Amino acid sequence: MHRTQDTSFISTRGGMAPTGFLDVLLSGLAPDGGLAVPAEVPRVSAATLEAWRSLSYPELAAEVIGLYATDIPAADLRALTAAAYGPEHFPDPVVPLRPLDAVAPGLALVGLSEGPTMAFKDLAMQFLGQAIPYQLAREGRVLNILGATSGDTGSAAEHAFRGRDGVSVFMLSPQGRMSDVQRAQMYSLADANIHNIAVDGVFDDCQNLVKAINGDAAFKVEYAIGAVNSINFGRIAAQVVYYVWAWLRASDGVAEGLAGAAAGAGVGEPTGERIFGVDVAVPSGNFGNIYAGHLARTMGVPIRRLILATNENNVLDEFFSTGVYRPRSSAQTLATSSPSMDISKASNLERFIWTLLGAEEFHSRWPELERTGVLDLSDQLARMRDEFGFVSGTSTHADRLAAIRRVHEATAAPIDPHTADGVTVALRLMEPEVPTLVLETARPEKFPETVAEALGAPQPVPEAIQCLLDAEQHVVSIPCDESRLRALIAADALRS
Ligand SMILES: *Cc1c(COP(=O)(O)O)cnc(C)c1O
């Protein structure tokens, strides 16, 4: 089954010639403004899943990503994943499962936050930190990554690309508006290729400066400006891996059951019999993480339902419970205690809607969204649930605090506020006898204020974090001024 399918990429908008994984990796939006999607999702048989059971995380990552990255030689890909997920960046196991039966029988956490910045974004970004320099070296190019962050993405990118050849990172952050830990994870880096730029403004001001630079095609080319944002398919491919890993670990010891699946309808058929099916709950904002779960399910991983959890910014819960997608403006976005999910326009949702409607229908319906600001797909609601397995719920500040307390009382270890949104909605929607895995999207130490509010007492600050907080901070402060940003980039950008 390896490398035989057509896994080249096309654009959701239909205006891009089929493109390989490596080209998609180095480009942002498709030239027609759409998102790159695999022309055909690779399928994995029950026998292959079983064969993968004995692999380490880096080995599994090479197999799974290899189904999409058919233009990277297998030996090269194994070297890239070994470097990305090796002991320099992650403990062993890279993704530990933590049972929460004491909270609810069958509940478990999937530990995605063991990487250098204590959030799940490290798992995707560390792969890019290997794969992008690999491809740049082959092409004899350099890349200056320009981004804006409200916290987690910027630090994950900087830790993935620090010290890497042929790449530099210019990361804009809103002055004084990140948590202390998030800020220190970025500003403590002293690497010559990492440029922290604190903008006197809010996240949207940072984002607008990035957009302004990206709108200047000549400047972009002259300074080899690129991005590693959440719509990059390379990140999605790397995120599929941990859904496979989590299912394998959850089903270790109950593998006999799979033989029946191999003989029957195929574990991943939407209507087929699922052997040891699990439900997976995912704290969501931009629909990147859970879209990878949707791909894993389509590939044949026995995931019954994908439980989507939002915070008070619940555009995605609204979509999956009514079928109506109504993105909100940034002015309508609430600042919550799970800040990395404070998103009101889910960039990656376009990929799922393309799959849901099929290319032709998508091309005729999607412009409605641009025209009216609303896309009413309520006629598809039953399919979203029955065929694609999506269910959803909203969690509030009070829910987060209660979930943090409940997990802490049962296990003596807290969870972070984003993960708490996942636990809240999982507890609400989980079904008896069905193992339910909640993706832990960050470590509680990264968001100590909310954890302290939940538990009524400040938590001890780990030594590693105290070191970051105490370290010399490397940052340049600028007003919200495009010409100042241009000057900074022109002075420090790598040139080929
Ligand atoms: C980015 C992030 C999310 C949201 O993930 P999406 O892929 O954007 O849905 C949730 N939790 C944390 C901690 C994050 O950093």
Side-chain angles (χ1 to χ4, degrees), residues 119-121 152 283-290 340-341 343 416 418 441-442 447:
F120 84 96
K121 290 185 174 74
D152 291 344
S284 298
N286 240 328
F287 204 72
N289 200 358
I290 200 166
S340 302
M341 291 156 60
I343 293 167
D416 105 287
H418 308 77
T441 56
F447 299 94

Side-chain angles (χ1 to χ4, degrees), residues 6-237:
D6 175 15
T7 56
S8 56
F9 293 82
I10 55 177
S11 166
T12 49
R13 309 274 173 100
M16 177 176 88
T19 302
F21 180 86
L22 284 166
D23 285 334
V24 166
L25 184 69
L26 289 185
S27 57
L29 284 176
D32 61 356
L35 274 63
V37 281
E40 201 185 312
V41 176
R43 306 288 160 146
V44 175
S45 68
T48 300
L49 278 173
E50 273 322 299
W52 285 350
R53 192 173 289 283
S54 59
L55 300 182
S56 68
Y57 193 90
E59 290 166 344
L60 179 69
E63 293 295 323
V64 173
I65 297 171
L67 296 176
Y68 294 93
T70 51
D71 48 0
I72 305 181
D76 291 4
L77 192 51
R78 281 196 296 272
L80 295 174
T81 59
Y85 303 116
E88 204 183 317
H89 306 120
F90 289 93
D92 184 22
V94 173
V95 173
L97 260 61
R98 176 175 149 207
L100 290 185
D101 292 289
V103 177
L107 193 68
L109 280 185
V110 181
L112 302 180
S113 311
E114 307 300 311
T117 72
M118 304 190 300
F120 84 96
K121 290 185 174 74
D122 285 327
L123 284 159
M125 213 60 96
Q126 287 292 336
F127 173 68
L128 261 52
Q130 300 297 327
I132 287 179
Y134 162 86
Q135 181 60 6
L136 290 171
R138 294 208 319 183
E139 295 184 1
R141 290 168 55 190
V142 299
L143 189 68
N144 294 294
I145 294 168
L146 174 63
T149 188
S150 57
D152 291 344
T153 307
S155 58
E158 292 188 358
H159 282 261
F161 289 99
R162 60 186 294 206
R164 307 288 295 141
D165 286 338
V167 187
S168 71
V169 178
F170 292 83
M171 192 57 66
L172 276 52
S173 50
Q175 180 108 50
R177 289 174 195 265
M178 290 187 293
S179 81
D180 289 345
V181 178
Q182 287 176 320
R183 194 193 58 228
Q185 281 179 339
M186 297 174 61
Y187 298 178
S188 63
L189 294 183
D191 305 78
N193 70 331
I194 301 298
H195 307 282
N196 286 305
I197 302 167
V199 175
D200 184 12
V202 296
F203 171 68
D204 276 323
D205 296 318
C206 299
Q207 187 99 302
N208 288 337
L209 284 174
V210 170
K211 277 192 194 140
I213 299 276
N214 278 318
D216 181 344
F219 188 87
K220 256 187 94 170
V221 170
E222 181 174 4
Y223 293 103
I225 305 284
V228 289
N229 47 29
S230 85
I231 52 141
N232 188 302
F233 193 86
R235 284 175 66 176
I236 304 281

Side-chain angles (χ1 to χ4, degrees), residues 243-275:
Y243 286 88
V244 183
W245 174 268
W247 179 81
L248 286 168
R249 296 295 76 82
S251 62
D252 276 337
V254 290
E256 313 83 84
L258 273 174
V267 283
E269 296 301 323
T271 54
E273 195 175 345
R274 292 172 186 281
I275 305 299

